[in-house]
Amino acid sequence: MLPKSVVEILKSQKVVFITDPQKVEYSFGNGKLKVWKEEIPYKDLLGVIFVQKPNKTPKVRKIPLILPPLELKNIKTHSYSEDEKLIRLKEVCNYVGKYLQVYLKRYLGKRDPLGVSKTKRTFWGYVQRYRENHVFWEFFTDCTNDRKISDVELKLGRYVAQALNSKNGIYGYLTLYLGILIAHKLGLKIPSEPKLVVYLFLPSIYAMVNMLEIKEGVFDLKDYSKIPLRGQVYTFLNEFLNNEAFQEHFLFSLKLLS
């Protein structure tokens, strides 16, 4: 049974993000994680996310760890049959291709469906108004008739590339990492294949990255990709905890694992 809100999980247990393992002082031992001067009992930890890979993987057995790009430690995974993979991949493909694209357009349209109105001066000094369109490119996708996993993966690959390879891709990875820890906590079926894990979390990865890009364009916010890494983690958590529209897509990602 999925929770109605993932926020409650994060209120009951703590997630530690270690942005730079070479500079952050941390250690595991005596049933506690020590980060700088703070000590956190293992029972209070949802898990630890290394945003940058440490030189050595910590030797600890009781705490779920995630290391980039997608190395899972102390996290139970499951093997999916070919039929099961195809069913789930079709679900996520149709969700991202139809519902999520339409939703994000509506999210943008709250301000101005045609884009942002701006002005500029012409050579002769006249003020000219124009529209700057911040709607991302839409690739409408329908996977209902695809019979091969490779066909569905080909379509999903475009969304993965757009989200994780974009300038705000770090926020997509943070969504994925935190999603895995929450899924592990709930005892959901996390795939043993890293590629499949990414696909099944694609609705929330795609939503997070695109919502931030839309906010940048519509509300003239600073470039999220230029925020220092520690600030990116705080920005991500703020969006994760307070953006109810995003949480809807995140819960759908968890539903795919249940």
Side-chain angles (χ1 to χ4, degrees), residues 92-223:
V92 68
C93 188
N94 290 321
Y95 183 88
V96 177
K98 294 178 182 176
Y99 177 75
L100 183 52
Q101 292 266 7
V102 171
Y103 185 88
L104 287 171
K105 277 191 170 182
R106 200 177 301 136
Y107 184 82
L108 170 64
K110 288 179 181 177
R111 182 65 175 260
D112 188 336
L114 298 176
V116 181
S117 180
K118 295 194 174 184
T119 60
K120 67 177 180 180
R121 289 198 175 275
T122 65
F123 178 79
W124 303 105
Y126 296 107
V127 174
Q128 187 178 50
R129 296 187 68 80
Y130 70 102
R131 298 275 185 186
E132 186 174 308
N133 193 352
H134 290 281
V135 179
F136 45 90
W137 287 104
E138 176 184 349
F139 359 100
F140 180 77
T141 307
D142 185 356
C143 301
T144 52
N145 297 318
D146 290 318
R147 296 182 181 178
K148 294 180 182 177
I149 290 176
S150 57
D151 293 339
V152 183
E153 284 186 332
L154 190 64
K155 293 177 179 177
L156 286 176
R158 301 172 71 184
Y159 293 103
V160 172
Q162 190 202 22
L164 295 182
N165 297 337
S166 70
K167 63 186 179 69
N168 285 328
I170 180 64
Y171 297 100
Y173 281 107
L174 292 174
T175 304
L176 173 63
Y177 298 156
L178 184 53
I180 291 170
L181 290 183
I182 290 173
H184 175 72
K185 167 74 175 177
L186 295 172
L188 303 181
K189 293 176 67 177
I190 302 167
S192 52
E193 296 178 42
K195 184 169 64 172
L196 189 57
V197 184
V198 176
Y199 285 142
L200 297 187
F201 274 102
L202 187 55
S204 45
I205 292 170
Y206 190 80
M208 174 65 77
V209 172
N210 277 285
M211 282 180 174
L212 289 176
E213 289 184 1
I214 289 168
K215 280 189 172 182
E216 281 180 17
V218 176
F219 300 108
D220 281 334
L221 299 177
K222 70 164 75 175
D223 189 335

Side-chain angles (χ1 to χ4, degrees), residues 30-48:
N30 299 321
K32 295 178 182 178
L33 165 64
K34 187 175 181 180
V35 184
W36 298 116
K37 293 182 179 180
E38 184 181 4
E39 292 186 348
I40 308 163
Y42 288 169
K43 64 181 178 62
D44 297 334
L45 271 174
L46 187 66
V48 178

Side-chain angles (χ1 to χ4, degrees), residues 223-238:
D223 189 335
Y224 284 110
S225 65
K226 293 180 180 176
I227 300 172
L229 199 52
R230 190 178 177 196
Q232 287 179 332
V233 170
Y234 284 119
T235 301
F236 160 73
L237 283 173
N238 182 64

